[in-house]
Amino acid sequence: MENWKGWLENWYEEQVEVRHRLHRNPELPYEERETTRFLKEQLTAWGIQVEELPGLETGVSAVIEGAHPGPMLVLREDIDALPILENTGLDFASQRSGVCHACGHDVHTAALLYAARALNALRGELHGSVKLIFQCAEEVGSGAYKMLEAGALRDCQPQAVVGFHCAPLLELGKIGVRRGPSNASFDIFTWTITGRGGHGAYPQRCVDPVVVSAHLITQLQTVVSRFNNPTHPAVLTVGEIHGGTAPNIIPDQVTMRGAMRAFDEGLRQEMLKQIGQITRDCCAALGAKGEVTRDVGIPSIISDPEIADGVARAVEESLGQEHLHWVPEPSMGSDDFSVWMEACGGRGVQFQVGTHDPACPNSGLGIHVAENIFPDEALRYAAPVLVQFAVDYLGK
Ligand SMILES: [Zn+2]
Ligand SMILES: [Zn+2]
């Protein structure tokens, strides 16, 4: 195998420049046009085949065909930014007011781009192919589905998917890997409770959706406490409630929004059913009409143990054993990386790249925090693990 680690070393400054460029020009979900254009240009310039995704303006799918037959591995990262006003004081801070890369997706994108460059130069030695997915709109939970609908995996059956996420709670230089349940599923709901409005003095002529929604919120607490198996974590939160205009008027309608997170797919489906039933029946019992729609739904990430062991080996080979960190606990946070896993028969791992530099306290604040800094040095650890895993997976 050629000295790809040396190549990545040589490209490091360039990779940092790319990361800064992306960071200065963050783009919201489904608006990642500049990023998409830049990635397509760069990949094409290196001779990597970019695929057309009809009907999808943002996000990039590309493929590196190895010289020898073999399985297909998907490497997936995300490219979108968040509606947050950056407050890092970095000299490469966002130049778009109110939008910034507070989830580290600029680091993800730059790392995958240079991993792709190395793998393309190694294609003569690869047995199989690498599908590169630069996914749009991760933050709104629908980008992965949109790219699949547009045909990102059309005419191919990939065997596994690997990617990473920056981890501000993990020390810089560490790579976090986990087997089994890793990230929760995520379902967002909108409830509409329709009653019959009127004067607050004459409730007998009305159906009060405020009172009904209060009952509904209380009933919804039983979804996790009574319908979930308590040995499997789950949480349902109603985070918004809107209704009414005056203290003496009973409104016609109340709307609410909330989200559920869980790990076990069977229990998730059971609880989804229960949310529908409680909404209908609880509201009906009080004379109102209750409707619930699911706006977004992505499954949990259950890391495949074999792939996890493969990633751990890749960490040891490419960086050294001291860089490997077995993540002790799952997270209730979610990522639509899970959708790609589902498309690969569950065979996937999203590892963590530590970004907490003890010398820079603001690097440990957390994702989605306006002040959090993701150090450039994370790029020294991310791309090598991606390349090493791919090289091992597509070895003979
Ligand atoms: Zn995020
Ligand atoms: Zn993210």
Side-chain angles (χ1 to χ4, degrees), residues 78 103-105 108 138-139 165 335 367-368:
D78 39 17
C103 205
H105 297 186
H108 303 178
E138 186 279 329
E139 294 292 354
H165 203 292
D335 193 299
I367 55 172
H368 296 206

Side-chain angles (χ1 to χ4, degrees), residues 69-99:
M72 174 178 268
L73 168 69
V74 179
L75 296 180
R76 173 274 193 191
E77 294 302 336
D78 39 17
I79 65 173
D80 56 325
L82 286 156
I84 293 177
L85 180 65
E86 178 163 351
N87 189 24
T88 58
L90 290 169
D91 56 3
F92 58 93
S94 168
Q95 294 174 348
R96 290 195 180 135
S97 182
V99 183

Side-chain angles (χ1 to χ4, degrees), residues 46-70:
W46 292 335
I48 298 172
Q49 188 193 332
V50 172
E51 301 174 315
E52 277 314 307
L53 295 176
L56 199 66
E57 273 187 71
T58 61
V60 180
S61 168
V63 69
I64 298 168
E65 296 280 359
H68 314 280

